[in-house]
Amino acid sequence: YTKIPYGIRWQSPSPAAFRLANLHCHSQASGGSLMPEDLLAWHLQKGYTVVAITDSNKTYPGVRGVAAAQSLQLPVVVVPGEE
């Protein structure tokens, strides 16, 4: 059984006159299938420029995502959150 992230077929038109944002997603820390760094790469591939990592009862995945975006100079705004 392979988990496929929701919205895998969606891609933002390029260049879009809007910012595509996902304000609720989970990493492997609470039911998701990707590590925070991979989660950001997946969203960037789909055209997202804002990603909120909102794992259940945990904030460290979002903080890890912020650090990854900064160190890799990714063109994405990461919002750490908690569900």
Short mmCIF file of all heavy atoms in Angstrom, two decimals, residues 51-55 58-66 77-82:
data_model
loop_
_atom_site.label_atom_id
_atom_site.label_comp_id
_atom_site.label_asym_id
_atom_site.label_seq_id
_atom_site.Cartn_x
_atom_site.Cartn_y
_atom_site.Cartn_z
N VAL A 51 3.83 27.30 2.97
CA VAL A 51 3.51 25.98 3.51
C VAL A 51 3.49 26.05 5.03
O VAL A 51 4.48 26.44 5.65
CB VAL A 51 4.53 24.91 3.07
CG1 VAL A 51 4.18 23.55 3.65
CG2 VAL A 51 4.62 24.83 1.55
N ALA A 52 2.36 25.68 5.63
CA ALA A 52 2.28 25.58 7.09
C ALA A 52 2.40 24.10 7.46
O ALA A 52 1.60 23.28 7.02
CB ALA A 52 0.96 26.15 7.60
N ILE A 53 3.40 23.79 8.24
CA ILE A 53 3.59 22.42 8.71
C ILE A 53 2.96 22.34 10.10
O ILE A 53 3.47 22.92 11.05
CB ILE A 53 5.08 22.03 8.74
CG1 ILE A 53 5.68 22.16 7.32
CG2 ILE A 53 5.25 20.60 9.25
CD1 ILE A 53 7.16 21.89 7.25
N THR A 54 1.83 21.65 10.19
CA THR A 54 1.00 21.67 11.39
C THR A 54 0.77 20.25 11.92
O THR A 54 -0.34 19.74 11.87
CB THR A 54 -0.35 22.34 11.09
OG1 THR A 54 -0.95 21.66 9.97
CG2 THR A 54 -0.19 23.80 10.73
N ASP A 55 1.82 19.65 12.40
CA ASP A 55 1.69 18.30 12.94
C ASP A 55 0.92 18.29 14.26
O ASP A 55 0.86 19.29 14.97
CB ASP A 55 3.08 17.69 13.14
CG ASP A 55 3.69 17.26 11.82
OD1 ASP A 55 3.12 16.35 11.19
OD2 ASP A 55 4.71 17.84 11.42
N LYS A 58 2.89 18.73 17.98
CA LYS A 58 4.34 18.89 17.79
C LYS A 58 4.61 20.16 17.00
O LYS A 58 3.93 20.43 16.02
CB LYS A 58 4.91 17.70 17.00
CG LYS A 58 4.77 16.36 17.69
CD LYS A 58 5.14 15.25 16.72
CE LYS A 58 4.95 13.89 17.32
NZ LYS A 58 3.56 13.53 17.53
N THR A 59 5.63 20.90 17.40
CA THR A 59 6.04 22.08 16.64
C THR A 59 7.39 21.89 15.97
O THR A 59 7.73 22.62 15.05
CB THR A 59 6.10 23.33 17.53
OG1 THR A 59 6.99 23.07 18.62
CG2 THR A 59 4.73 23.70 18.06
N TYR A 60 8.17 20.90 16.42
CA TYR A 60 9.53 20.76 15.89
C TYR A 60 9.58 20.48 14.38
O TYR A 60 10.52 20.92 13.72
CB TYR A 60 10.34 19.72 16.67
CG TYR A 60 9.95 18.28 16.46
CD1 TYR A 60 10.47 17.55 15.40
CD2 TYR A 60 9.06 17.65 17.32
CE1 TYR A 60 10.12 16.23 15.20
CE2 TYR A 60 8.70 16.33 17.13
CZ TYR A 60 9.23 15.62 16.08
OH TYR A 60 8.87 14.33 15.87
N PRO A 61 8.60 19.78 13.76
CA PRO A 61 8.69 19.61 12.31
C PRO A 61 8.61 20.94 11.56
O PRO A 61 9.31 21.15 10.58
CB PRO A 61 7.51 18.71 11.97
CG PRO A 61 7.24 17.96 13.25
CD PRO A 61 7.50 18.99 14.33
N GLY A 62 7.76 21.84 12.02
CA GLY A 62 7.67 23.16 11.40
C GLY A 62 8.94 23.96 11.57
O GLY A 62 9.40 24.62 10.64
N VAL A 63 9.53 23.90 12.76
CA VAL A 63 10.79 24.59 13.03
C VAL A 63 11.89 23.99 12.15
O VAL A 63 12.71 24.72 11.59
CB VAL A 63 11.14 24.50 14.53
CG1 VAL A 63 12.53 25.05 14.80
CG2 VAL A 63 10.09 25.23 15.36
N ARG A 64 11.87 22.68 12.00
CA ARG A 64 12.85 22.01 11.13
C ARG A 64 12.64 22.44 9.67
O ARG A 64 13.61 22.63 8.93
CB ARG A 64 12.69 20.50 11.27
CG ARG A 64 13.68 19.71 10.50
CD ARG A 64 13.55 18.23 10.81
NE ARG A 64 14.34 17.44 9.88
CZ ARG A 64 14.49 16.15 9.97
NH1 ARG A 64 13.91 15.47 10.94
NH2 ARG A 64 15.22 15.50 9.09
N GLY A 65 11.40 22.62 9.28
CA GLY A 65 11.10 23.10 7.93
C GLY A 65 11.61 24.51 7.69
O GLY A 65 12.16 24.81 6.62
N VAL A 66 11.46 25.39 8.68
CA VAL A 66 11.98 26.76 8.57
C VAL A 66 13.49 26.73 8.40
O VAL A 66 14.05 27.41 7.53
CB VAL A 66 11.59 27.61 9.82
CG1 VAL A 66 12.33 28.92 9.83
CG2 VAL A 66 10.09 27.84 9.87
N VAL A 77 7.76 30.30 1.99
CA VAL A 77 7.51 30.78 3.35
C VAL A 77 6.99 29.59 4.14
O VAL A 77 5.99 28.98 3.77
CB VAL A 77 6.47 31.92 3.36
CG1 VAL A 77 6.13 32.32 4.79
CG2 VAL A 77 6.97 33.10 2.56
N VAL A 78 7.67 29.25 5.23
CA VAL A 78 7.26 28.12 6.06
C VAL A 78 6.64 28.67 7.34
O VAL A 78 7.26 29.50 8.03
CB VAL A 78 8.45 27.21 6.40
CG1 VAL A 78 7.99 26.03 7.25
CG2 VAL A 78 9.11 26.70 5.14
N VAL A 79 5.44 28.23 7.64
CA VAL A 79 4.74 28.64 8.85
C VAL A 79 4.67 27.44 9.77
O VAL A 79 3.95 26.49 9.51
CB VAL A 79 3.30 29.13 8.52
CG1 VAL A 79 2.58 29.58 9.78
CG2 VAL A 79 3.34 30.23 7.47
N PRO A 80 5.46 27.45 10.87
CA PRO A 80 5.36 26.32 11.80
C PRO A 80 4.08 26.45 12.62
O PRO A 80 3.71 27.55 13.03
CB PRO A 80 6.61 26.47 12.68
CG PRO A 80 7.04 27.88 12.53
CD PRO A 80 6.49 28.39 11.24
N GLY A 81 3.41 25.35 12.80
CA GLY A 81 2.17 25.36 13.58
C GLY A 81 1.99 24.06 14.33
O GLY A 81 2.86 23.20 14.32
N GLU A 82 0.85 23.95 14.97
CA GLU A 82 0.54 22.73 15.73
C GLU A 82 -0.96 22.51 15.66
O GLU A 82 -1.75 23.44 15.79
CB GLU A 82 0.96 22.91 17.18
CG GLU A 82 0.68 21.72 18.06
CD GLU A 82 1.10 21.96 19.50
OE1 GLU A 82 1.61 23.03 19.82
OE2 GLU A 82 0.86 21.05 20.32
#
